[in-house]
Amino acid sequence: MELFVAIFTGTIVAATPLILAALGELVVEKAGVLNLGIEGMMLIGAAFAFWAVFSGLPMPVAILIGALAGAAASLLFGVLALSFLTNQYAAGLALAIFGSGVSAFIGRGFGSTPIEALRRVHIPVLSDVPVLGPLFFRYDPLVYLALLMFVLITLFLYRTKGGLILRTIGESPETSHAIGYPVVRIRYLAVLFGGLMAGLAGAYLSVAYTPLWVENMTAGKGWISLALVVFATWRPLRVLIGAWLFGGMTILQLQGQALGLAVPSELLSALPYLATIVVLVIISQNRQMLALHFPASLAKPFRPPS
């Protein structure tokens, strides 16, 4: 039972940054914009959040700084892709590289100094219930925030007028503009929200998941988040399930190494990424499902008629 609890709780925690970043990118892509710079925004958020805690700022302020740093980085992408109509693939890749460099520059003075991790929430009575307490009521606040964001984003996209407008812009910006919706402004807001969520995911990595500065500590999680959106066929519930799947594979390979399985550690470490590739290949075979939910104007530039 202890092993099951450890794997379950580890899966939830490992999936949290993926849920945050992938949900943010889902909103961005629903608006018809493709931002490949999630990895860079996560690294910038992680670096600024760690710097804030390292400098003695309160933990909530540090997390907010990390999220805002991610949003600021996404604004750079927005200017290039939405105002100057730069190729979105190139602008996103440039942001990923830029974020890696900025985080390395900021983190050069941190060394291997640990910081106090984000504390877990203790819910009276519930947290002390055997088995159920550790399974559901002993996580840090950002784990619960990620689940709340899943609910709010799902409701926004499919139960509000704003969500309908956002999805309409992702399908046909020309029609949306003709109706009178400010397409570019709404796309900017979506990009900023995606950056905020990526920065929050990065902050979680540096102040909660691994409260010790390591250069390029995201270890490809930004790219995995991007893949999760495709795996989910642009639906929030599947993003959540996909993140838990990847988180579970991550924890299982760590448990496998701890148990001393006669398998090379490099292969065990690669298992989560291999699982993601396999799932993406399987999903890509169902072209009808992809076409049904794929935003029709994704990555296509839009210039408002003069």
Side-chain angles (χ1 to χ4, degrees), residues 55-203:
S55 301
L57 294 176
M59 184 65 74
V61 175
I63 293 171
L64 179 61
I65 288 174
L68 292 176
S74 73
L75 182 60
L76 176 62
F77 167 84
V79 171
L80 291 173
L82 302 179
S83 295
F84 294 106
L85 302 182
T86 305
N87 181 281
Q88 293 181 18
Y89 295 95
L93 289 173
L95 178 58
I97 297 170
F98 174 76
S100 178
V102 169
S103 66
F105 177 78
I106 295 173
R108 61 180 181 171
F110 297 152
S112 299
T113 306
I115 59 173
E116 183 180 355
L118 179 64
R119 294 181 180 178
R120 296 182 177 183
V121 175
H122 183 272
I123 303 174
V125 181
L126 292 178
S127 295
D128 300 322
V129 175
V131 183
L132 293 180
L135 285 178
F136 300 108
F137 305 112
R138 292 186 188 176
Y139 298 103
D140 59 75
L142 288 184
V143 171
Y144 298 110
L145 177 62
L147 298 176
L148 176 62
M149 292 306 299
F150 158 72
V151 174
L152 293 178
I153 288 172
T154 302
L155 292 175
F156 169 75
L157 287 176
Y158 301 107
R159 293 291 185 270
T160 67
K161 181 181 178 181
L164 178 61
I165 292 172
L166 182 79
R167 290 185 288 122
T168 302
I169 289 173
E171 294 296 330
S172 179
E174 294 80 9
T175 303
S176 301
H177 177 78
I179 296 173
Y181 295 128
V183 173
V184 175
R185 187 189 309 168
I186 291 174
R187 283 187 166 182
Y188 259 110
L189 290 175
V191 167
L192 285 172
F193 177 77
L196 187 79
M197 293 288 282
L200 188 60

Side-chain angles (χ1 to χ4, degrees), residues 233 238 281-292:
T233 57
R238 290 195 174 194
V281 170
I282 294 173
I283 291 293
S284 66
Q285 301 304 310
N286 193 339
R287 298 184 180 275
Q288 184 177 1
M289 179 183 293
L290 288 175
L292 182 63

